[in-house]
Amino acid sequence: MYAVKAMPRPRSLTPAQLADAALAVLDRDGLTGLTMRAVGAQLGTSTMALYRYVADRDELESLVVERVLDGVDMRPPADGPWPDGIRELVDRVRAAVGAHPAVVPLLPAHRHRSPGILRWGEAALAVLTRGGFAGTRRVVAFRALLAYVVGAIQMEHLGALAGPGTAVIAALPRAEFPLLAETARAAGAVGPDDEFGGGLDLLLDGLARQLDG
Amino acid sequence: MYAVKAMPRPRSLTPAQLADAALAVLDRDGLTGLTMRAVGAQLGTSTMALYRYVADRDELESLVVERVLDGVDMRPPADGPWPDGIRELVDRVRAAVGAHPAVVPLLPAHRHRSPGILRWGEAALAVLTRGGFAGTRRVVAFRALLAYVVGAIQMEHLGALAGPGTAVIAALPRAEFPLLAETARAAGAVGPDDEFGGGLDLLLDGLARQLDG
DNA sequence: GCTGTAGGTGTACAACGTACTCCTACAACC
DNA sequence: GGTTGTAGGAGTACGTTGTACACCTACAGC
């Protein structure tokens, strides 16, 4: 292996450039616009050149997810009450994802393989552990937190009740969905941050109560 | 309009048959296998005949979602403590979806338009209202509940921590993700029901605490 | 310079959603 | 019971997707 006869042409792209280009396409044209051809055009290369960097479209999506999560500070906040630490961690991913809403549909599918999401999980577990959670309780707490965050972020970017989506529901047949219509109207006074944070607080309160009891 | 000259050939399919066929394809071949051609073949009709019943593939998916939710009892439980009512409602949808796991990725996108999901929301709001929630609090409670349910169901069927997905995480590099690895091992002792229900209980505890305080 | 390697390009194909055109079968009339 | 108008169903065809394959190309090392 040490006596290599010749070295090939060096790569003209970095994975980071590829990820940036794909993210740019995603931000501009949405998830349906994220095609191999579009990313190739964005980079000024052929479509097939991308396959020297990723095995398939799925891997390209992974690259995008990772790129969005790259800017997130994944260090667990070390001081302060543990619920504040969780809130901080949650807010960081929420902000990062909010800057690129089109990645939202990709998150559930890439949840297992994404190093970024795994690092976030590790940080969240560190905070929970510091708060006193261990064993089965920690498993359930962690999963509940993840479920809420995943669900709430999706709700937020697929038409929140507080937001443009409200109008749709407010126009529902009153007779059939009286409570939904009423709730949709009341939701106008609740901002996305209050909605997201309020739900998280409910979960954190439940966790705190479990620690006490 | 009353003197119609001739009546056309009657439809040979019912929407229900179409929904059943699509659901059968979805169950058998997964979401990627749910194509117009496959559903046409399943029904023994041409592909294009489907377009007499649905405008496009998206509408076909709506039909499938509705079919899955059709069997769910959407009447809000009228007696017993309100948290038990919520648990009951949540368990019903979870069971229905669990019988057709491949629909899970469709749920977030169809959340707004699906009459079935709307009816579920109305029922959940009825229970929350009976429990004493109103105004802004009810908005936040409802949204938090929905976020948790949507998120938890997706986590459950896209590889739960307690479940087959555990193995993937348990194989993580220990040095980099010590807590995740440990949690994955501990998760082996937690069944999916305990995991799902435990998280829901945390949220319900938070809600109950809010009502008291 | 020569050369071997891996990078980049172009072509091609199967499968998808669906627009368009034609044929067909039935209910309502004489 | 034949005729007819209507909407349903079938067939064909097109643009777009991911990607397999075969080819050419440019550079590091001799």
Side-chain angles (χ1 to χ4, degrees):
Chain A
M1 288 297 260
Y2 49 88
V4 180
K5 285 253 186 116
M7 286 298 283
R9 181 196 336 206
R11 303 174 88 92
S12 57
L13 260 51
T14 66
Q17 284 176 310
L18 181 51
D20 282 341
L23 185 53
V25 172
L26 182 65
D27 285 339
R28 174 164 29 88
D29 304 328
L31 188 55
T32 62
L34 182 66
T35 68
M36 302 303 274
R37 285 169 171 81
V39 175
Q42 173 81 17
L43 286 165
T45 74
S46 74
T47 305
M48 294 311 292
L50 305 182
Y51 287 90
R52 299 283 174 182
Y53 298 85
V54 293
D56 50 24
R57 198 197 156 189
D58 200 67
E59 209 172 297
L60 182 72
E61 290 180 357
S62 298
L63 234 48
V64 173
V65 170
E66 238 39 51
R67 195 61 173 174
V68 169
L69 262 34
D70 258 359
V72 181
D73 180 3
M74 295 295 188
R75 290 170 307 177
D79 46 3
W82 67 266
D84 288 347
I86 294 291
R87 269 186 278 263
E88 171 69 25
L89 280 174
V90 169
D91 282 346
R92 287 184 200 157
V93 281
R94 178 166 171 254
V97 170
H100 306 279
V103 295
V104 170
L106 298 179
L107 296 178
H110 289 80
R111 180 172 52 86
H112 296 109
R113 325 166 252 181
S114 160
I117 296 181
L118 293 178
R119 281 191 299 141
W120 185 88
E122 185 72 17
L125 278 171
V127 174
L128 288 176
T129 304
R130 177 160 66 81
F133 287 91
T136 300
R137 269 194 187 174
R138 191 173 57 186
V139 171
V140 173
F142 175 62
R143 296 289 288 179
L145 195 60
L146 205 52
Y148 175 77
V149 171
V150 167
I153 284 182
Q154 280 187 87
M155 308 258 298
E156 190 173 0
H157 294 287
L158 272 66
L161 188 54
T166 311
V168 179
I169 300 187
L172 285 179
R174 279 278 197 90
E176 202 173 350
F177 303 107
L179 292 170
L180 268 177
E182 187 183 333
T183 304
R185 282 196 305 281
V190 185
D193 291 1
D194 291 341
E195 186 178 303
F196 189 98
L200 180 59
D201 287 347
L202 287 170
L203 189 57
L204 290 173
D205 279 0
L207 286 168
R209 183 182 237 186
Q210 189 189 54
L211 269 188
D212 296 344
Chain B
M1 289 295 262
Y2 49 87
V4 180
K5 286 253 185 119
M7 286 298 284
R9 165 169 30 178
R11 305 173 86 92
S12 56
L13 260 51
T14 65
Q17 283 176 310
L18 181 51
D20 282 341
L23 185 53
V25 172
L26 182 64
D27 285 339
R28 174 162 31 85
D29 304 330
L31 189 54
T32 62
L34 182 64
T35 68
M36 303 302 275
R37 288 173 224 271
V39 175
Q42 173 79 19
L43 286 166
T45 75
S46 74
T47 304
M48 294 311 292
L50 306 182
Y51 287 90
R52 299 283 175 183
Y53 299 85
V54 292
D56 50 24
R57 197 193 163 205
D58 199 67
E59 207 171 299
L60 181 72
E61 290 180 357
S62 298
L63 233 49
V64 173
V65 170
E66 239 39 50
R67 195 60 172 175
V68 169
L69 263 34
D70 258 359
V72 181
D73 180 3
M74 295 295 189
R75 290 169 308 177
D79 47 0
W82 67 266
D84 288 348
I86 294 290
R87 268 187 279 262
E88 171 70 25
L89 279 174
V90 169
D91 281 348
R92 287 183 199 156
V93 280
R94 178 167 172 253
V97 171
H100 306 279
V103 294
V104 169
L106 298 179
L107 296 179
H110 290 79
R111 181 172 53 86
H112 297 110
R113 324 166 253 180
S114 161
I117 296 183
L118 293 179
R119 281 191 299 142
W120 185 88
E122 185 73 17
L125 278 171
V127 174
L128 288 175
T129 304
R130 177 161 65 81
F133 288 92
T136 299
R137 269 194 188 174
R138 190 172 58 185
V139 171
V140 173
F142 176 60
R143 296 288 289 178
L145 195 61
L146 207 52
Y148 175 77
V149 171
V150 167
I153 285 182
Q154 280 188 85
M155 308 258 298
E156 191 172 2
H157 294 286
L158 270 67
L161 187 54
T166 311
V168 179
I169 300 186
L172 284 178
R174 280 278 195 90
E176 204 173 346
F177 304 107
L179 292 170
L180 268 176
E182 187 183 333
T183 304
R185 282 195 306 281
V190 185
D193 291 0
D194 291 339
E195 186 179 303
F196 189 98
L200 181 59
D201 286 347
L202 288 170
L203 189 57
L204 290 173
D205 280 359
L207 286 168
R209 180 182 240 185
Q210 189 189 53
L211 269 189
D212 297 344

